[in-house]
Amino acid sequence: MHMTVERVSYLHEREIDELMNRIKHSYRPDVHTEAQIIRKAVSFVRKGARFAYRFAKDGSSVETVCTDGVDHLVKLTFSEVDATCTCEEPGWCPHKIAVVFHLYSQFHSLTDWLHEWQQTEVTQMTLKLSERSPEAWNVVLRQLTNPLRNMDPRENANVFIHETSLMDQKVIPLAPFEWEWKPLFDLFYRLHVVDAAWSYVQVYLDDSNQFTYREWQLQMWLGEQIGKIKDHAQSLRKKLRLFETDVFYDALKIMIQSITLYNKGLFEKRLELFRVMWDLLYTDQASQKKELARLLEEESAEAPFFAAYVYLEWIDDVALEKVAAQTGGKRVTHWLPLADHALDMGQTESLAIIMESIYPYIGTYYELLKTNGDKHHFIRKMDELLEEAHFPEIRREELFMLYGKDGVSAFGDFLIERERFDEWAALMHRFNVPYDGVDPDTLKFVLANDPASVMPLLHTYAMQFIQEKNRHSYRRAVRLFKNMKTGAKKSGKIEFWNRYIDTVREQYKRLRALSEEMEKGNLNL
């Protein structure tokens, strides 16, 4: 017989509580696969999966169809406190659990139950932290961050952000109470979170062909985590280091080595983490030399770039040049953050070594860039670095030739700075840059300094406006003629100008609207 869900829940409250306790003790929140089953069951209930209940005549069981795209018949036998499902999965499948959750939620809070269930994980972790050691911290924090390590790369970014916010809440009761230890624990936690999330984040942020809201979310999240790591490291640098913390700092060295050398992609972010931890962990020359020796012995192909950072810090251009010669400049993305660091430090000699190394590979790397925004940014950045490294202008021009149309804007600025106005106008002609694509201030500057060089270009634009054959375009053409008139007067070509404007007027005398605008403009000298 049919019965409402409220009636079923009321009549069998004791059996449902027993089923809930069985589920609670059968599934652990710290085991990813088990936590996923609970989450899936909760999502069935909260997303409105249909549950059509039918009560057995003897009152010993209830049947319902749980729908999640496919219908599954679930039977709860209250006399035996057991459940069966047609999906035939072993143990408690999400459909069985969802039915129990649905019945339980009629008179109880499913959210409160979930919170209590998740707290069992925190309680277990707290017991493990009774011994204060880096090993205990690492075990607990790795367990806490495991959901990020096991997260499917196809998972929605909102789910990822939600998971990390849950971890931020769970870690609060785990932190030590003593203020001397709290920043150190927080630093351990943030490094574990970044390490666990790296494989997921790297998929979307490294070599992404598009920048959507998802990429923006993950970029902001990663930037926030690195910012917190910097804050914790800065806080620790200001405090006196306790003797008891030495083993923890040794553990941090191993952790940062793992994050920076054995994770893939996003080298700039890994270098940023290395820089932060270098200042915290290697404060004396002996420890710095020891770490540098370890880097030079590493088999990782990226280790030399971290060694190059150390040489930049030491201002050791001879050693930096040796590293550059050994590794080559093919990995442009690895050298660029180091070039930026050299520029920030004002080390032009070091910057010149780096740029000399990557110069032969700039064109190859440029061809791999997919979006116009990335290309324009790269062109500007390269020219800025080459200029600061005091590269000869002819070598910079060689790259502009390679960039083609994408480099017109930067190359145009390069020519204007050197007052090579004829070449600038020829560049605009060569790539058919439209009038609206020319910076008005640049055009005014050229007209003021060398009007003769830009006259052919302005003539081309004026003719293009006339060909559009509407009054608005005619007015734009006349404004250009006025600019040309001013330039001709300044350069002393009055006779030439009068012949030119009379020829144009005669050529287009049948265009009445143009003739009217030209008469209004008073274009003759």
Side-chain angles (χ1 to χ4, degrees):
M1 60 182 176
H2 291 284
M3 188 178 292
T4 64
V5 62
E6 293 85 358
R7 184 67 177 167
V8 174
S9 179
Y10 175 75
L11 291 174
H12 297 280
E13 184 176 6
R14 182 181 61 81
E15 291 89 345
I16 292 169
D17 284 341
E18 188 173 340
L19 287 170
M20 290 294 288
N21 282 327
R22 189 174 296 181
I23 293 169
K24 180 178 180 179
H25 293 102
S26 298
Y27 289 86
R28 294 171 53 190
D30 57 319
V31 179
H32 180 69
T33 53
E34 295 179 4
Q36 283 291 91
I37 292 173
I38 297 295
R39 287 195 189 104
K40 190 173 182 181
V42 172
S43 71
F44 287 159
V45 177
R46 289 179 172 170
K47 290 181 179 179
R50 291 186 293 108
F51 298 94
Y53 292 93
R54 198 152 92 174
F55 208 62
K57 291 183 179 180
D58 60 359
S60 63
S61 64
V62 65
E63 291 183 349
T64 182
V65 175
C66 177
T67 303
D68 64 334
V70 179
D71 290 345
H72 298 283
L73 180 63
V74 178
K75 181 178 180 181
L76 295 182
T77 306
F78 295 116
S79 58
E80 300 175 7
V81 193
D82 197 12
T84 59
C85 179
T86 55
C87 74
E88 298 182 354
E89 289 186 21
W92 282 88
C93 68
H95 314 104
K96 296 178 191 176
I97 298 174
V99 172
V100 176
F101 282 175
H102 188 244
L103 291 170
Y104 180 81
S105 65
Q106 303 308 308
F107 296 102
H108 301 85
S109 170
L110 185 58
T111 301
D112 290 346
W113 182 90
L114 280 171
H115 180 71
E116 184 182 344
W117 175 70
Q118 290 167 346
Q119 283 300 110
T120 59
E121 177 187 12
V122 177
T123 304
Q124 292 170 4
M125 291 180 184
T126 305
L127 292 173
K128 291 179 182 178
L129 284 175
S130 57
E131 177 195 356
R132 183 169 293 172
S133 67
E135 292 78 16
W137 283 12
N138 283 330
V139 168
V140 168
L141 293 175
R142 186 172 183 84
Q143 179 183 333
L144 179 64
T145 57
N146 260 339
L148 298 183
R149 288 184 172 87
N150 299 322
M151 186 167 286
D152 190 330
R154 294 169 294 182
E155 188 64 83
N156 190 292
N158 290 319
V159 175
F160 170 84
I161 299 295
H162 176 68
E163 193 68 54
T164 58
S165 66
L166 287 178
M167 289 176 189
D168 289 346
Q169 295 171 18
K170 289 179 182 178
V171 81
I172 293 173
L174 301 178
F177 291 107
E178 301 90 340
W179 68 273
E180 299 94 338
W181 290 91
K182 187 170 174 51
L184 187 59
F185 181 84
D186 290 339
L187 180 58
F188 265 80
Y189 168 64
R190 290 298 163 191
L191 288 173
H192 270 281
V193 168
V194 169
D195 189 34
W198 197 271
S199 58
Y200 179 86
V201 172
Q202 184 263 336
V203 169
Y204 295 105
L205 295 187
D206 203 27
D207 298 328
S208 178
N209 295 336
Q210 54 184 351
F211 194 80
T212 62
Y213 180 66
R214 175 184 59 198
E215 280 75 24
W216 177 83
Q217 276 182 299
L218 296 177
Q219 187 179 76
M220 294 298 293
W221 178 86
L222 184 57
E224 182 183 355
Q225 302 309 307
I226 294 176
K228 289 178 179 178
I229 290 171
K230 288 180 179 178
D231 292 340
H232 296 322
Q234 185 176 4
S235 175
L236 288 169
R237 284 199 297 271
K238 292 178 180 178
K239 295 180 179 180
L240 291 175
R241 185 181 297 188
L242 301 176
F243 174 76
E244 295 171 288
T245 62
D246 286 349
V247 290
F248 291 86
Y249 280 89
D250 291 339
L252 282 174
K253 290 177 182 179
I254 297 172
M255 195 184 306
I256 197 63
Q257 290 163 12
S258 173
I259 293 173
T260 55
L261 288 177
Y262 303 119
N263 281 319
K264 303 298 180 184
L266 299 174
F267 177 79
E268 185 174 358
K269 298 297 183 183
R270 284 185 286 144
L271 181 64
E272 190 174 358
L273 286 171
F274 182 83
R275 289 173 58 182
V276 173
M277 299 306 291
W278 176 267
D279 293 338
L280 173 67
L281 300 175
Y282 306 101
T283 54
D284 58 273
Q285 195 171 16
S287 62
Q288 290 179 359
K289 287 183 177 180
K290 184 178 178 180
E291 176 61 12
L292 177 61
R294 190 197 63 80
L295 285 171
L296 295 175
E297 291 174 1
E298 272 284 346
E299 295 181 0
S300 170
E302 295 180 326
F305 296 98
F306 294 102
Y309 168 78
V310 177
Y311 290 134
L312 279 174
E313 287 291 301
W314 290 355
I315 317 180
D316 189 345
D317 291 338
V318 175
L320 177 64
E321 192 167 11
K322 185 178 179 181
V323 171
Q326 290 174 346
T327 58
K330 194 171 184 180
R331 295 190 179 217
V332 176
T333 52
H334 288 59
W335 281 115
L336 285 181
L338 293 167
D340 287 335
H341 185 55
L343 181 61
D344 292 340
M345 296 177 68
Q347 297 181 29
T348 55
E349 294 82 3
S350 301
L351 178 60
I353 292 170
I354 294 172
M355 298 310 296
E356 190 66 51
S357 178
I358 68 173
Y359 186 87
Y361 303 96
I362 291 176
T364 304
Y365 178 78
Y366 168 77
E367 291 173 358
L368 298 176
L369 299 176
K370 295 178 175 61
T371 66
N372 288 333
D374 288 341
K375 289 179 178 179
H376 294 152
H377 174 73
F378 177 76
I379 291 168
R380 292 280 185 183
K381 184 181 184 65
M382 282 296 99
D383 192 54
E384 178 191 358
L385 291 173
L386 291 170
E387 183 178 12
E388 294 294 336
H390 304 302
F391 264 56
E393 291 186 358
I394 189 169
R395 298 188 72 186
R396 293 168 62 187
E397 289 187 49
E398 287 173 1
L399 289 179
F400 285 126
M401 297 301 107
L402 185 147
Y403 299 143
K405 190 171 183 178
D406 291 322
V408 167
S409 177
F411 191 27
D413 292 345
F414 176 86
L415 295 173
I416 292 296
E417 286 174 9
R418 285 146 188 82
E419 299 187 356
R420 292 158 61 178
F421 302 120
D422 288 333
E423 294 175 64
W424 176 83
L427 182 69
M428 300 299 110
H429 271 296
R430 167 68 180 81
F431 290 101
N432 296 318
V433 177
Y435 176 75
D436 293 326
V438 178
D439 181 47
D441 292 333
T442 301
L443 194 57
K444 288 179 183 178
F445 181 75
V446 177
L447 277 168
N449 289 275
D450 188 4
S453 64
V454 79
M455 295 286 269
L457 180 63
L458 294 181
H459 167 76
T460 301
Y461 290 146
M463 294 302 105
Q464 290 173 355
F465 286 141
I466 290 173
Q467 293 304 318
E468 292 175 9
K469 294 186 177 179
N470 61 74
R471 189 174 287 272
H472 175 69
S473 296
Y474 294 156
R475 287 171 180 164
R476 299 189 74 185
V478 169
R479 281 197 290 272
L480 285 179
F481 286 142
K482 286 182 177 180
N483 289 335
M484 295 170 69
K485 173 185 173 183
T486 303
K489 183 177 181 180
K490 186 174 181 179
S491 57
K493 298 183 178 181
I494 296 175
E495 186 178 347
F496 163 79
W497 170 252
N498 287 330
R499 285 201 310 271
Y500 167 79
I501 201 65
D502 289 341
T503 303
V504 172
R505 189 180 287 111
E506 179 65 24
Q507 183 177 355
Y508 295 103
K509 62 183 180 181
R510 296 191 177 185
L511 300 178
R512 182 176 58 82
L514 175 61
S515 299
E516 290 175 359
E517 294 299 328
M518 291 182 73
E519 286 302 321
K520 291 178 186 176
N522 189 24
L523 298 176
N524 286 88
L525 286 171

